[in-house]
Amino acid sequence: KRKEKMGNSKEDYLVSLVVPCFNEHETVETFVKTVDEKLSSIRDHIEIVFVDDGSKDDTAKIIDSLRQKDDRISLIRLSRNFGKEAAMSAALDLVQGDAMIMMDVDLQDPPELVLDFIKCWREEGVDNVYGVRVDRSKDTEAKRVTSGGFYYVFNKLSSRVKIPSNAGDFRLIDRKIIDTLRQLPERNRFMKGLFAWPGFVSKGIGYQRPERVAGTTKWNYWKLWNFALDGISGFSSLPLRMWSYLGGVIGLLAIIYMIFIFLKTLITGVDVPGYASIMTAVLFLGSVQLISIGVLGEYLGRLGQEVKGRPVYVVSEIKGRLSSVVKKGISVTAVGVTCNEDGDDKTLDTLKSDK
């Protein structure tokens, strides 16, 4: 069984619910209300950390208003829209809980499942507890096919890191995984793969994913396509190797065809080559070269981002009790920059003693 958490008592633990937001003013209040209802039995053991990813609406104002009424709520504001992966990376660097749970503010990640996550974490010693969708019948056929295809292709191409099918970002990770991920300096952040990369004891829990309570999704197929490319290029070099194999096969076929033409010329004499066959070969080889250059470009582009080393995120301000445990002023982590003007010398242990 899991060893005792921070503090002198086995019941002394803190779980940080991390909630990335981008233009979600319609859902924030409903989310907090639902969490209060569903997780009332562990109210003193959770904090809610909203990460505002450069929202243009009143999302940040609403969160700040809720924060003033509930000291469990903290707000991390990014200086602009960096994306969900960057928002989660900021939370990884800043949250102070013994465990961290990623959740969507639209309540498609059921808050009641958090109780099962925490039970599995504390009683069974599981370090990475993730939700697995057991029914995708409400998704479109295209979404089901592309999602299933991505998980299949990723796990085939990645020899060492496997991600479970139908599992997203909704999960609990232990402090040891958080601290491990904080050491990774890479700029191309595919969090599903990064969560799986450290290893440790993992377990999936099935659940039904409900519809959004309000608002609309910020994802589209183009963003999902680029997201898939980030994942595959970040965890596998097989696409690069495939073009070496393909080049070898085409070279072998070219040698065989050359021998065939040579023997045919010796036996039957010289004939006039066909225009169609020449154009077919030229177009085919040209397309192969363009595709291979495109694959190289994807890797080189990401390599350029890594070499430049620009921060994945920039935090413009932190509000709530989290600001008291983050270093005051400007601090730099492996992948981000944080500006915190409200920090003081309070520690996490002091916060826990205030409960």
Side-chain angles (χ1 to χ4, degrees), residues 232-297:
I232 292 173
S233 62
F235 285 87
S236 175
S237 61
L238 187 58
L240 290 174
R241 243 177 278 152
M242 287 171 58
W243 292 107
S244 299
Y245 301 150
L246 182 60
V249 171
I250 293 176
L252 180 61
L253 293 176
I255 292 173
I256 294 173
Y257 186 65
M258 180 180 66
I259 295 173
F260 169 76
I261 294 296
F262 177 74
L263 294 175
K264 181 181 178 183
T265 302
L266 287 179
I267 297 172
T268 64
V270 180
D271 59 352
V272 179
Y275 173 79
S277 61
I278 294 176
M279 287 303 298
T280 300
V282 169
L283 291 174
F284 172 72
L285 292 175
S287 64
V288 169
Q289 290 173 343
L290 289 174
I291 293 172
S292 62
I293 291 172
V295 173
L296 286 171

Side-chain angles (χ1 to χ4, degrees), residues 327-341:
K327 180 181 177 182
K328 187 173 183 178
I330 297 178
S331 57
V332 180
T333 65
V335 295
V337 177
T338 299
C339 304
N340 179 30
E341 299 303 325

Side-chain angles (χ1 to χ4, degrees), residues 68-81:
Q68 295 175 17
K69 302 173 185 176
D70 189 342
D71 63 359
R72 297 173 306 146
I73 298 175
S74 295
L75 170 63
I76 301 173
R77 292 194 69 180
L78 303 188
S79 60
R80 63 171 175 84
N81 179 241

Side-chain angles (χ1 to χ4, degrees), residues 30 43 72 102 133 163-164 178 206 210 213 240 249 268 270-271 278 314:
T30 304
R43 189 182 192 282
R72 297 173 306 146
M102 273 64 63
R133 296 182 62 179
I163 56 176
I178 297 173
V213 293
L240 290 174
V249 171
T268 64
V270 180
D271 59 352
I278 294 176
V314 177

Side-chain angles (χ1 to χ4, degrees), residues 108-121:
Q108 287 192 291
D109 299 333
E112 57 269 24
L113 199 64
V114 168
L115 297 173
D116 295 329
F117 283 4
I118 294 177
K119 181 179 179 181
C120 189
W121 169 59

Side-chain angles (χ1 to χ4, degrees), residues 56-102:
K56 301 299 183 183
D57 58 9
D58 292 331
T59 299
K61 291 182 180 179
I62 295 173
I63 295 173
D64 194 38
S65 175
L66 293 169
R67 176 191 65 81
Q68 295 175 17
K69 302 173 185 176
D70 189 342
D71 63 359
R72 297 173 306 146
I73 298 175
S74 295
L75 170 63
I76 301 173
R77 292 194 69 180
L78 303 188
S79 60
R80 63 171 175 84
N81 179 241
F82 286 89
K84 185 180 180 182
E85 309 300 290
M88 289 190 288
S89 298
L92 280 169
D93 284 341
L94 298 174
V95 296
Q96 305 293 320
D98 303 310
M100 166 178 160
I101 298 178
M102 273 64 63

